[in-house]
Amino acid sequence: MSDIRVVLFDLDDTLFAHRAAVEAGILRYAETLGPPYGTAEADEVVTLWHDLEEEHYHSYLAGDLDFEGQRQARARDFAARHGVELDDAQASAWFADYFEHYVAAWSLHDDALPALDALEAALPGVRFGLITNGDLAFQGRKVEAVGLDARMEHLIASGEVGVAKPDAAIFHAACDAFSVRPDQAAYVGDRLRTDAIGSARAGLTGVWLNRRNAVPSPEDELDAATAGVRTITSLAELAPLLA
């Protein structure tokens, strides 16, 4: 019988379909802007926007930019690639307009709610929570918008805790919120090092959700094996794995 009493999840691209919403949002926004934005190839627009998100959001997590600053930087750099210069106020307005299109595309992954139901059936009394790298209010808005607030007892956000994944402290903070030991909790996320290796090294059962069949680097593969990381390709595999 499993000793897992709490299952914790990453939010973006684990339960919440963030990447799909980002792609839909930026393509719709670029189309409404017209030239020079709307003339670029869709793949180029999406790739650039994802790259800028990775770059500047990690600057926010590292403390080099505040939350609004990383939004401005993303908008400013995207516009600059299309020959448009934006000051801070214009960049904030640009991002706010994009954000409306992003919000309109918010949804859960199709396997998210069925996985929670399956876990409750396989692990009677199991409790659920979220650990996310981001701003608590912003991430909380997403959780409520897609109805996850009814299923999650706690939302642990790096912006509130003061440390980000893969730091063990944020995983331990979540366990403390549930009053469980790390070995009584599992953590599921789509990033191998940030989520799965980080949580496993903190003493939880670390599960990598590899939806995109990514091939890890040799270093990550070795670290994952050493830490005892489990790998799944769909949340449908989670309940059988933990039970």
Side-chain angles (χ1 to χ4, degrees):
M1 184 175 180
S2 175
D3 293 327
I4 299 298
R5 296 169 56 188
V6 172
V7 180
L8 302 161
F9 295 89
D10 168 57
L11 180 60
D12 293 329
D13 291 322
T14 296
L15 297 178
F16 179 85
H18 170 70
R19 177 178 287 270
V22 166
E23 292 180 2
I26 194 60
L27 288 175
R28 290 170 187 169
Y29 185 43
E31 184 178 357
T32 65
L33 287 172
Y37 301 99
T39 58
E41 292 292 329
D43 288 349
E44 295 176 4
V45 169
V46 168
T47 298
L48 173 59
W49 192 236
H50 275 307
D51 288 347
L52 292 174
E53 179 183 35
E54 284 289 306
E55 176 185 352
H56 294 304
Y57 198 74
H58 282 283
S59 293
Y60 156 68
L61 293 175
D64 298 328
L65 292 172
D66 61 19
F67 192 65
E68 183 61 23
Q70 61 88 20
R71 289 181 164 190
Q72 291 173 343
R74 288 160 63 186
R76 188 184 301 110
D77 286 0
F78 187 88
R81 297 286 185 92
H82 294 87
V84 179
E85 293 187 9
L86 303 175
D87 60 26
D88 285 351
Q90 291 170 328
S92 288
W94 192 101
F95 194 94
D97 289 341
Y98 150 74
F99 192 76
E100 293 182 7
H101 295 276
Y102 168 58
V103 170
W106 281 0
S107 67
L108 290 171
H109 281 287
D110 291 341
D111 57 1
L113 294 181
L116 299 182
D117 293 339
L119 284 165
E120 288 179 337
L123 302 170
V126 70
R127 303 158 69 193
F128 300 130
L130 293 161
I131 307 176
T132 178
N133 279 352
D135 176 78
L136 179 61
F138 175 52
Q139 296 296 75
R141 179 182 172 189
K142 289 194 285 191
V143 170
E144 292 177 5
V146 295
L148 277 179
D149 54 320
R151 306 294 294 270
M152 300 290 149
E153 285 190 40
H154 297 288
L155 169 59
I156 309 299
S158 64
E160 189 79 1
V161 177
V163 292
K165 299 177 294 182
D167 193 305
I170 195 168
F171 297 106
H172 292 162
C175 291
D176 289 345
F178 282 91
S179 298
V180 297
R181 302 187 310 269
D183 64 289
Q184 295 174 316
Y187 185 73
V188 186
D190 68 296
R191 292 179 181 263
L192 177 54
R193 182 160 293 279
T194 304
D195 293 321
I197 295 174
S199 60
R201 285 179 170 172
L204 291 74
T205 297
V207 182
W208 181 31
L209 175 59
N210 186 11
R211 290 187 184 279
R212 303 165 66 84
N213 292 312
V215 178
S217 69
E219 180 184 3
D220 283 351
E221 189 171 25
L222 176 60
D223 287 348
T226 302
V229 166
R230 318 286 186 86
T231 301
I232 58 177
T233 58
S234 165
L235 290 176
E237 301 168 34
L238 186 58
L241 175 70
L242 297 182

